[in-house]
Amino acid sequence: MINVVDLFSGAGGLTFGFQKKIVRNRFVDDDRFNVIFANEYEKNAAYTFKMNFPGVPMIQEDIGELDLVYLQQMYLDISNVDIVIGGPPCQSYSTVGKRQYDNRARMYREYRRMLSILQPKLFIFENVLGLLTMKNDLGLPVIDDVVKSFNDFSEFNGAIGYTVQKKVLNAQDFGVPQSRERVFLVGVRKDLNLERDWCFPTAGAMQKHVSVGDAIGDLPELVNGAGTNHYTKHPYTKYQFLMRGNQKVLKNHVNGVNGRKILKIMEVVPEGEGRPYINQLVQKGKLAQEFYLTSGYGNSYGRLWWNRPSTTITNNLSTPSSLRCIHPKQNRALTSREGARLQSFPDNFIFYGSKEQVNSQIGNAVPSLLSMHLANSVIDFFESNKFIRQEG
């Protein structure tokens, strides 16, 4: 069994992949991993985690407050931590936003401090693609600071550093119906005697991408301001069967209330188009001047494609004016449950909080299916190096 700690866990997308596996297209418990504890500061995300992983101790606390004494007082056995997973807040690195090198951007230092305490054999650190282009206060690449900091832990009373590998993985290559690129850093402790180096998971050469339609086509249609907790169609794709499982009650499938202007914009924008298309209609006199959009990005007010994976799901997945989140076939933005489907959370995954808080949890998560592929790579690495302890 492999002992795991999840830092900055959020709702638990990464932990899901280390607690579940797929057997005959159904999620079942995976007893190869033992999650010792998870840490998340945001209370709603922490509560969501606790509801879905009741057997995992959740420390809902600022990570800066965690130290060896704190963990020992929680009666947690951290003497044999095999792997630490998780990624600090990504908003500071995101290419959508101000990109400030602020305290959130420096949270990797807290992650590193925890590594010095737990000294796992391996860590998996995840963050947005913008980490690769973010600059520090001196105008130098932040990614270089991060990688170098993981190499040398000598200031922590002689703690051992890590050899780090870096790779960009796209969730759509691993069965997730979403084009979502993320940076993964994997560190292997330098004192380990390895027979095989770490290998990132690779996508199947012939694997067909799962489309938005494949993912959410069985979910009920909704009009403006409507919601339902009833399934009205049977699943008809392998992915829908996997996500539905034995769930009988549909949760988090509620459409927002939109005004006349937004409804009209959604009515005229076709698949794959967005703000520039709307403004062209205005300029050509095909749409009234009041619909000219002066703010946003090129893919703001964007409609998704039915036969392609979605673009990256964000915290604003239910806001039509946000980044490409309008349903491909209906004149509305995505519901929270549709966002969860596109992040590969199954329908029985429970979210806690307001709709905005739930969408934040969904938008910030690591897709569950991608996490499963990472977990399988961890198993391969530990088995190849004979690191797995036999229980009993």
Side-chain angles (χ1 to χ4, degrees), residues 38 43 46 56 67 70 78 102 139 241 249 259 301 318 349 370 389:
K43 64 178 182 180
V56 177
D67 58 19
Y70 187 111
I78 58 170
D102 54 16
F241 274 103
V249 178
Y301 302 89
S318 296
F349 198 93
L370 175 54
R389 292 180 296 277

Side-chain angles (χ1 to χ4, degrees), residues 255-258 262-263 265-266 299-303 316-326 331-334:
N255 183 21
V257 178
N258 296 292
I262 293 294
L263 288 173
I265 288 172
M266 290 192 289
N299 57 354
S300 297
Y301 302 89
R303 189 182 291 277
N316 297 316
L317 64 96
S318 296
T319 305
S321 60
S322 188
L323 305 181
R324 198 174 304 286
C325 62
I326 297 175
N331 296 328
R332 60 174 178 82
L334 298 170

Side-chain angles (χ1 to χ4, degrees), residues 212-213 215-222 228 230-236 240 243-244 250-253 306 327 330 332 335-342 347:
V212 172
I216 67 172
D218 62 317
L219 296 177
E221 296 183 10
L222 297 174
T228 181
H230 297 289
Y231 294 101
T232 57
K233 302 177 184 177
H234 294 293
Y236 59 86
Q240 291 167 13
M243 292 296 111
R244 183 90 70 97
L250 177 59
K251 300 178 180 179
N252 305 107
H253 192 55
W306 186 253
H327 192 285
Q330 301 169 44
R332 60 174 178 82
T335 66
S336 300
R337 182 51 57 188
E338 287 167 336
R341 282 271 187 104
L342 297 177
D347 288 7

Side-chain angles (χ1 to χ4, degrees), residues 52-119:
N52 290 283
F53 309 104
V56 177
M58 161 55 69
I59 302 177
Q60 195 258 306
E61 181 63 84
D62 184 335
I63 194 172
E65 300 298 320
L66 272 58
D67 58 19
L68 181 59
V69 173
Y70 187 111
L71 297 175
Q72 289 172 337
Q73 289 174 343
M74 295 288 292
Y75 298 102
L76 296 169
D77 182 4
I78 58 170
S79 59
N80 285 301
V81 176
D82 293 304
I83 174 172
V84 168
I85 59 178
C90 64
Q91 288 83 356
S92 299
Y93 304 131
S94 176
T95 53
V96 180
K98 297 181 179 179
R99 308 202 76 198
Q100 295 175 324
Y101 191 57
D102 54 16
N103 288 334
R104 290 182 302 177
R106 297 179 177 90
M107 289 303 285
Y108 74 86
R109 298 176 184 175
E110 291 294 339
Y111 187 96
R112 177 174 177 262
R113 183 182 63 82
M114 290 300 297
L115 288 177
S116 76
I117 295 170
L118 300 171
Q119 283 283 269

